[in-house]
Amino acid sequence: WMHLPAALGRVAGQHGLRGLARLQPQIYRRTLADLSAVYQAGFLPAQGDYDILHCQFATLAEHVIKHRRAGFLSGRIVVNFRGYDISETVHACGPRVYDTVWPEADGFIANCDYFRRRAIAIGCPKDRIRVVGSGIRLDNFPFAPAALHTGDELNVLMVGRLIERKGFHIALRALARFQQSSGMRIRAGIVGDGPFRPVLEAIVQACSLGDHVKFHGTQTHAAIAAILRDSDVLLAPSMTCPRGGQDAPVNTLKEAMATGRPVIATRHGGIPELVTEGETGFLCEENDEASLEAALHRLVARQSGLPRMLAAARAAVETRYALDATNAALLRTYEDVLAAHPVSVRTKPTLSKEVVSA
């Protein structure tokens, strides 16, 4: 409220005095009551005329729909379900949280089939949603398969934000169990930071892993790639957190598979769409130390079959998650939305990969 005059000044400066008249309670309702609409409108461009308004998370769609109704934006709305928006948000707000979005948006995307099915289950029109995966730049992850492991040490890597949903606390306890049952020495690296780090550090000490685990903190993509190349296996033990959060096929798995490192992941969210047990990696049950320990034993026992598995894993990533392929799928989605709902105020646009990549 204290900064409201300045915010209204920005709206008038961007959109003229008529812009202030667009901020109508019947359009914005609660977003005007909490002033978010005023602050957002002040940063929208004066000429908000687009072919596609892509909401990278579904939680943004309500705002974009209102700005389009008010005339600050124009274009066809594509709503993307990526993770927390179709898991934690639905868990917190209920299955009708997007009821106002379904009839207003022109197309929907999910980054895995698991989230596509979840969206349909709460009302998303089945004929207007498709899967477009999250792509990676394969040039950054050249295929260099891991050598067969013949020593008495296993070098394990985990990458991700240090939160409960990533399941690193389960993995640490499973690694302690595996070290005892296998007689192999564990060396583990954890890349990332977050609020769960003190919990993980306490588990490391409690499991007598203090000399075996290194916390690398947040690292650049280049540094992560180097650490990955020095590892024997990547663990991605994602689990459903108490707030309902779930993961799609996480990029760290794709990067490890592209590089030629074996992976162990959980039967969780969209991950089984990427990792197939015994073919492109190993799967275990989420939130289950014994199941993860057993997967580690299967990895060690399958050394002779690793070359074929690593080649199959690389091929799976190339086919479905190479950036060129996912960009092409995204462009097709835009073109299909525009074909179904032509933009009458201008000629048919030409979409380019350069625009999408930017």
Side-chain angles (χ1 to χ4, degrees), residues 16 44 63 73 83 102 114 152 171 201 214 222 232 239 272 281 333 351:
L44 294 174
H63 300 286
L73 295 170
W102 309 134
Y114 177 77
D152 58 358
E201 291 174 335
K214 180 177 181 180
D232 296 321
M239 55 179 283
T333 301
L351 300 175

Side-chain angles (χ1 to χ4, degrees), residues 282-352:
F282 300 94
L283 288 171
C284 60
E285 302 307 318
E286 64 176 87
N287 196 21
D288 190 326
E289 300 167 19
S291 182
L292 180 48
E293 178 192 6
L296 286 162
H297 281 288
R298 292 200 303 279
L299 166 66
V300 172
R302 286 279 303 275
Q303 293 297 309
S304 62
L306 274 186
R308 183 169 54 84
M309 176 181 289
L310 298 181
R314 170 74 185 197
V317 174
E318 286 180 346
T319 301
R320 298 177 58 190
Y321 298 104
L323 196 59
D324 285 348
T326 56
N327 274 356
L330 183 58
L331 286 169
R332 285 194 298 272
T333 301
Y334 291 163
E335 290 163 350
D336 290 347
V337 166
L338 290 170
H341 308 280
V343 181
S344 59
V345 295
R346 44 188 147 128
T347 58
K348 184 179 179 180
T350 301
L351 300 175
S352 69

Side-chain angles (χ1 to χ4, degrees), residues 211-294:
D211 296 332
H212 304 268
V213 179
K214 180 177 181 180
F215 288 86
H216 294 274
T218 303
Q219 298 289 328
T220 65
H221 285 294
I224 294 172
I227 296 170
L228 180 59
R229 286 192 295 271
D230 190 43
S231 302
D232 296 321
V233 57
L234 178 93
L235 300 186
S238 296
M239 55 179 283
T240 305
C241 72
R243 295 190 301 275
Q246 293 182 311
D247 282 334
V250 292
N251 279 358
T252 53
L253 277 170
K254 300 168 193 172
E255 293 162 0
M257 293 165 68
T259 301
R261 293 299 176 274
V263 299
I264 296 176
T266 48
R267 292 183 177 90
H268 163 91
I271 288 176
E273 297 172 35
L274 171 63
V275 180
T276 302
E277 168 65 31
E279 295 182 18
T280 59
F282 300 94
L283 288 171
C284 60
E285 302 307 318
E286 64 176 87
N287 196 21
D288 190 326
E289 300 167 19
S291 182
L292 180 48
E293 178 192 6

Side-chain angles (χ1 to χ4, degrees), residues 10-11 31 33 47 58 61 64 67 74 90 133-134 137 153 161 171 177-178 189 238 245 278 293 308 331 347-348:
R10 278 196 301 273
V11 174
T31 52
Q47 299 297 325
V64 173
H67 291 314
S74 68
V90 175
S134 176
R137 295 185 183 276
E153 180 178 272
R161 189 158 182 260
R177 292 170 57 129
F178 174 78
S238 296
E293 178 192 6
R308 183 169 54 84
L331 286 169
T347 58
K348 184 179 179 180

Side-chain angles (χ1 to χ4, degrees), residues 28-208:
Y28 285 101
R29 301 189 307 278
R30 70 173 183 271
T31 52
L32 185 59
D34 66 16
L35 302 183
S36 60
V38 177
Y39 283 92
Q40 290 170 5
F43 289 99
L44 294 174
Q47 299 297 325
D49 188 21
Y50 296 95
D51 298 304
I52 296 291
L53 302 168
H54 188 146
C55 304
Q56 284 284 0
F57 290 89
T59 48
L60 302 172
E62 181 182 359
H63 300 286
V64 173
I65 288 168
K66 291 174 181 178
H67 291 314
R68 187 173 69 170
R69 283 181 184 169
F72 289 111
L73 295 170
S74 68
R76 298 306 173 187
I77 295 175
V78 173
V79 178
N80 215 146
F81 293 101
R82 303 180 65 88
Y84 83 88
D85 49 2
I86 191 61
S87 56
E88 288 186 38
T89 300
V90 175
H91 184 267
C93 302
R96 305 196 67 177
V97 62
Y98 297 120
D99 279 5
T100 60
V101 174
W102 309 134
E104 295 277 358
D106 303 289
F108 301 89
I109 292 172
N111 60 354
C112 64
D113 190 62
Y114 177 77
F115 287 157
R116 182 191 72 87
R117 288 183 278 110
R118 288 204 65 176
I120 291 171
I122 62 171
C124 181
K126 187 176 182 179
D127 61 340
R128 285 194 283 138
I129 185 169
R130 64 182 64 180
V131 175
V132 178
S134 176
I136 65 170
R137 295 185 183 276
L138 287 174
D139 290 347
N140 295 342
F141 300 94
F143 187 55
L148 296 183
H149 188 82
T150 56
D152 58 358
E153 180 178 272
L154 191 66
N155 187 3
V156 175
L157 179 65
M158 292 175 273
V159 181
R161 189 158 182 260
L162 305 189
I163 55 177
E164 186 176 14
R165 188 177 76 241
K166 295 303 178 182
F168 293 170
H169 57 303
I170 302 298
L172 288 171
R173 295 190 182 103
L175 288 171
R177 292 170 57 129
F178 174 78
Q179 183 169 250
Q180 185 174 12
S181 61
S182 69
M184 298 181 70
R185 185 178 186 273
I186 287 294
R187 184 158 60 96
I190 298 178
V191 174
D193 215 336
F196 219 55
R197 179 164 178 166
V199 175
L200 299 178
E201 291 174 335
I203 292 172
V204 167
Q205 296 305 315
C207 293
S208 301

